[in-house]
Amino acid sequence: MKIYHNFSEESIGASVVTIGTFDGVHIGHQKIISRLVNCGRQENLKSVILTFFPHPRMVLQKDANIKLINTIKERRGILKSLGLDYLVVQEFTKEFSRLSAEDFVREILINKLKAKKVIIGYDHRFGRNRNADIEDLKKFGAVYGFEVEEISAQDIDDVAVSSTKIRNALKEGDVTKANAYLGYNFMLSGTVTKGKGLGRQLDYPTANIQIEEDYKLIPKQGAYIVKSTVEYSNVYGMMNIGMNPTVNGSKETIEVHFFNFNKDIYNKTIQIELLKRIRDEEKFESVDALKDQLARDKEMALTYIANHHD
């Protein structure tokens, strides 16, 4: 899969296109993408997803509170595995939002993407002030020579419902449910930084994960069983998202203790997959009580991993 940011001079060639933010790239999205990829293969067209970043609401409504299931890097990685020919990430700016519907069709879909077919939701709106709909797109198709294939209300509802359910499940800490809707494990990606060394004092040294993107949805505070890939090897561990109340922590941290692991990963970027939630974060009456709980957490995590993973 080739990735373009905005557009390259290189022509994509005749294509079949779908448009959307595809946050989560969950099972509902995957169904649409699979349709796109199959259509491309059958009709000898390049399969293209046109997506936007930053999220339009961040730009138009200055909605800093919007939280996304994936960072743009994570989204690219997941899309890469689905057999697409091209992912085009269009920078979403106020200026771009002012393109009229016809200019968008002519400049983007026709001149840049050479679209012969557009697969789009029945409720899709586009152009300045989102004033054009799928019927307008069909009229433009007749003028500019591309076909419009409609994604049904049922499929679009599945996508919307899944996204909402995933976000709600994560806010409640239910990663098992979120992962079922995603079709893969929810992940957190960040740089390993040095913390205060509290984990080491507790005999549970931790990697402190610093997440750059403030729009990334962080699940409910608590302890989780996790997995990562470090230097091509799977490693398992447990992670705490929270305030470290037992030692009077003052800000939320994300800390991972990997089992049977002693590599130096400071300043490396790693991706943590969340497998299961163990418990809420709680304040213990002493550091020893916390250590006892961590030992129980580890035992539970190792049992779970032995039963569910290679």
Side-chain angles (χ1 to χ4, degrees):
M1 178 183 85
K2 287 194 178 175
I3 298 170
Y4 288 160
H5 286 272
N6 299 332
F7 293 96
S8 150
E9 292 306 304
E10 182 194 333
S11 172
I12 281 175
S15 69
V16 52
V17 181
T18 193
I19 303 165
T21 47
F22 292 96
D23 181 35
V25 200
H26 55 62
I27 51 178
H29 292 137
Q30 289 168 31
K31 186 173 166 186
I32 292 165
I33 293 164
S34 156
R35 188 158 144 192
L36 177 82
V37 169
N38 289 338
C39 172
R41 287 177 184 156
Q42 284 160 11
E43 301 187 26
N44 202 22
L45 299 169
K46 298 291 182 194
S47 54
V48 179
I49 282 183
L50 172 60
T51 193
F52 305 104
F53 189 80
H55 193 286
R57 270 172 49 197
M58 290 178 188
V59 176
L60 299 178
Q61 298 169 18
K62 286 283 174 268
D63 190 349
N65 295 325
I66 184 167
K67 298 295 179 192
L68 302 182
I69 298 163
N70 304 132
T71 65
I72 189 70
K73 278 185 191 160
E74 290 165 355
R75 202 187 320 164
R76 286 198 306 250
I78 301 155
L79 286 168
K80 208 168 188 169
S81 66
L82 297 178
L84 273 175
D85 291 316
Y86 293 92
L87 170 64
V88 177
V89 182
Q90 167 65 46
E91 184 184 2
F92 195 89
T93 60
K94 285 202 163 146
E95 185 186 16
F96 179 78
S97 77
R98 292 187 192 109
L99 270 186
S100 72
E102 184 154 16
D103 285 347
F104 172 77
V105 168
R106 191 178 55 245
E107 291 177 26
I108 307 291
L109 293 183
I110 302 305
N111 294 347
K112 303 287 191 188
L113 300 182
K114 309 283 187 286
K116 295 293 173 204
K117 188 169 191 173
V118 179
I119 298 178
I120 208 77
Y122 76 99
D123 60 348
H124 182 76
R125 302 196 70 83
F126 65 103
R128 189 171 188 164
N129 298 327
R130 301 179 75 241
N131 60 3
D133 62 14
I134 192 164
E135 294 311 317
D136 296 304
L137 192 61
K138 287 174 180 171
K139 286 173 195 157
F140 289 132
V143 174
Y144 290 102
F146 62 87
E147 187 190 336
V148 176
E149 184 181 315
E150 193 172 316
I151 302 165
S152 72
Q154 170 70 50
D155 282 344
I156 290 294
D157 286 349
D158 284 352
V159 165
V161 166
S162 297
S163 292
T164 303
K165 282 191 171 164
I166 291 162
R167 289 194 180 96
N168 290 341
L170 291 169
K171 285 172 192 165
E172 289 159 15
D174 191 347
V175 291
T176 309
K177 183 191 266 189
N179 292 348
Y181 279 105
L182 286 167
Y184 61 88
N185 296 324
F186 175 77
M187 64 192 80
L188 294 171
S189 313
T191 308
V192 179
T193 59
K194 275 198 178 355
K196 292 181 179 167
L198 292 169
R200 199 167 292 284
Q201 289 167 31
L202 295 167
D203 300 326
Y204 290 92
T206 58
N208 227 320
I209 311 297
Q210 202 70 42
I211 294 175
E212 255 176 67
E213 298 85 354
D214 55 6
Y215 61 83
K216 170 75 177 183
L217 194 160
I218 307 296
K220 185 179 179 183
Q221 294 184 346
Y224 293 84
I225 302 169
V226 297
K227 170 186 169 185
S228 187
T229 304
V230 179
E231 293 171 5
Y232 307 105
S233 298
N234 281 344
V235 286
Y236 292 91
M238 54 193 193
M239 175 178 76
N240 189 70
I241 300 174
M243 307 295 290
N244 297 312
T246 307
V247 291
N248 301 317
S250 57
K251 62 174 190 153
E252 183 176 86
T253 58
I254 299 172
E255 296 175 277
V256 183
H257 168 72
F258 288 121
F259 306 139
N260 308 318
F261 183 80
N262 57 7
K263 291 190 170 114
D264 179 3
I265 52 173
Y266 283 120
N267 300 321
K268 286 202 162 68
T269 299
I270 62 172
Q271 211 165 65
I272 307 290
E273 296 178 34
L274 280 65
L275 307 179
K276 184 176 170 59
R277 190 167 195 272
I278 303 174
R279 60 176 173 83
D280 283 342
E281 184 175 56
E282 52 190 292
K283 182 168 184 168
F284 295 92
E285 68 268 16
S286 67
V287 168
D288 283 342
L290 171 58
K291 278 176 82 164
D292 290 346
Q293 182 60 56
L294 290 174
R296 288 193 291 275
D297 292 345
K298 181 173 182 178
E299 198 176 321
M300 181 196 259
L302 290 171
T303 303
Y304 176 84
I305 292 157
N307 290 335
H308 293 82
H309 295 270
D310 319 338

